[in-house]
Amino acid sequence: MEFSYFIYQLIIGLSHSMLLFLIASGLTIIFGLLNIPNFAHGSLYMLGAYFTYYFLHSLPGLSFGLALVFSVLAVGIIGAILEFIPLRKIYERSHALQLLMTFSFILMIDDATKYFAGTDFLSIAIPKLMDGSFTLPGDREMPVYSIFIIACGLVVAYLLWLGLYKTRLGKLVQAGTANKEMLSALGINVPRLFTLVFILGSVLAGLGGGLAGPLKAVSVGMGETVIITIFAIVIVGGVGSLKGAFIASILVGELNTFGVVFFPSFAMAFTYILVIAVLLTKPEGLFRIK
Amino acid sequence: MPPKPQNFKNPIIWFFVSLVVLWAAPLFLPTFYIYLITEILIVSLFAVSTNVLLGFTGLLSFGQVAFFGSSAYAVSLLIKGTSLPFAASFFLSVGISTLAALIIGLFCMRLRGFYFAILTLAFSQIFFVVVYKWTSLTGGDDGIVGIPKKPFLFFDINGADAYYHFVMFVVMVSLALLYLIIRSPLGEVLQAIRDNSERTEFLGLQVRNYRLASFVIAGTFGGVAGALFAPFQGIVTPELLHWSHSAEPLMISLLGGMYFFFGPIAGAVIFVFIKEWITGFTEYWMFWYGLLLMLLIMYLPGGIMGFVSEHLKRGKDDSR
C-alpha cells in the first residue's frame, strides 16, 4: 500500500471515528449514569438525520448549521419525552426489561418515521461552504466535509470533557455514575439530573445523525445498523468512560475503514469479533473509570 | 419477584384434547386460518424455547436467531442440494443448531445481564455476516428460494393442510418435551438460578453447567422451529438472521407472560393475530405493537398471563 493512500484512508477513517464518537459519547454517559442500555439510541441518531433533511426542505434558504441546531433540539425533546414518561418507570428493573422497552421505542420511532417520511432513501446536500476538496500528496482528493466532521468531533470531545470535569453539573454526573443513592442523600435532585443527561445524550445522537446526513443515504434502517457498533464502542471503552469511548471510537472507525480496504467481504464482522474478544477477555472494557 | 408457577391439572388430558382439536381444525377452518395457525405454532415453539432462557433461567439472549436461522438455512441447503430424505435433513439441521448452541454457549456462560445479551447478539451477527456474504453457498442477499416440502418418512406433507399437520405434530411433541424439562428437577434448578444464582451455587450446584444446559435446550428447540419454518415459507433470506429478528420471541414471551410456560404461546397467538389484524388497515403495525409493548412493560410486566392469573387469584381470595 502506498503511503499517501494509507494517510488518506487514515483521515477518512478518522472522520468515520469522530461521527461514531459523537453518538457513542451520548450513549456511554446515559448508560454510565442512568444504567439504561438504550437500544433506541441509534434511532435517535436516525431522527437527527431525518429532522435535518426535513428542516432544510421545509424552510428554504435555511442554512445547514441552523437546520442542524433545530433538528438537534427536536431530538432532545423526543429524548426528554422518552425519559420522562416510560423510562422513569423502569429504572429499578432488570437490564433485560430495559433493553426490551428501549427496543419497543425502536419499533415506534422507525414506523413513525416511515409514516411521515416514506421508505425512500433521502440525501442531504453537503453545505456549500464545505462542498469541495483539496489535494493531498499522491493526488488524493480529500473532501473538506470529512475534515469538518473531524473538527466537530474534537470540539465536542473537548466541550464534553470540560463539562464533565470542570463544571458542577459534570461533577454531579460523575458522582451519580459512582453512587446514585449517596448523591440523592446529599439532597441532589437525581431524577432531574437523569432527565438532563438523557436529553444531552439524545442531543449528541441527533448531532451525529445530522452531521452524517450528507455522507450517507438517510434511511430508516440506519439506526439499527449503527446501534450495534455504538454498543461495541461503549463496551470496548468501558461503560461511562468518555475517554474510553473516544479511543474505542477511533479503534472501531479505523478498523472498519481499513477492514473494507483489505477484506471487503468480511469487514462487516470485524466489529463483532472485536466486541466478542473484549467481552471474553476484559468485559469491564479497556478503559473503565471505576 | 416471579410468581410461583402453578402446576396445571391433568396436563396429559389437556395435551390430547388440544392435539385432537388442532388435528380437526382443517375440517372446519378455511385454508387462510390453517396457514395462520401453522405460523402461530412455529412462532410459539421459537418463543417457548427462547423463554426457557429468559423466563426460566433469567438469561436474556439476543442471539436466538443464530440457531433458528442456521437450522433454517441448513435444512434448505440439504433439501435442495442433496438427495437425503427430509427426515434426515431435518434432524441433521437440528443437530447443527444444538452444536452451535453448545459452542457459543461455552463462550457466553461467563457473562450476565446486558453483557450476555450483547455477546450472544455479536455471535449471531457473525452468522448473519457469513450467510449474507457467502453468496456461492447461501445465495447472499437473495437467499434460497423454492424450498419444496418433501415427504417426511412415509408421510406426504405437501399442501397447506398436510404441512400443518406435520408442524402441529412436531410442535406439540416439542412443547411436551419442554414442559417436562421445565417441570423436571433440571427445570427446578434453572428457576432457582433465576431467582438467586449465588444461593444455588452455595447449594453445591454447578450454576454454569445448568445455564449451559438451558442454552443448549433453547438452541435445539429454536433449531426445530427454524427447520419447520424454511419449507413452510419456501424461502429463507439473511434477514431471518438479523439481530432485530431475535427480539421477536423475546417480545412475544413478554407479551404473553415470561414466568409462565404457556405465556409465550398466548403471546404468539396475540402477536400473529395483531399482525394480521392491524396490517388490514395500516402497514404501520409495528408502531402499535411497539406502543403495546411499552405500555405492557410499564404497567403489566407479568404479561397477559400474569394479569389473568393475578385476577383469578384475587377472585379466589375474595370468595374465601
Side-chain angles (χ1 to χ4, degrees), chain A residues 71-91:
Chain A
S71 77
V72 156
L73 288 176
V75 176
I77 291 170
I78 290 182
I81 296 170
L82 291 181
E83 196 281 335
F84 208 71
I85 301 170
L87 280 181
R88 197 159 269 218
K89 283 231 165 219
I90 56 159
Y91 281 134

Side-chain angles (χ1 to χ4, degrees), chain A residues 47 106-118, chain B residues 284 287:
Chain A
L47 281 180
I106 298 183
L107 297 179
M108 286 189 278
I109 295 176
D110 277 11
D111 248 22
T113 310
K114 274 185 208 158
Y115 178 75
F116 287 111
Chain B
Y284 305 105
F287 178 86

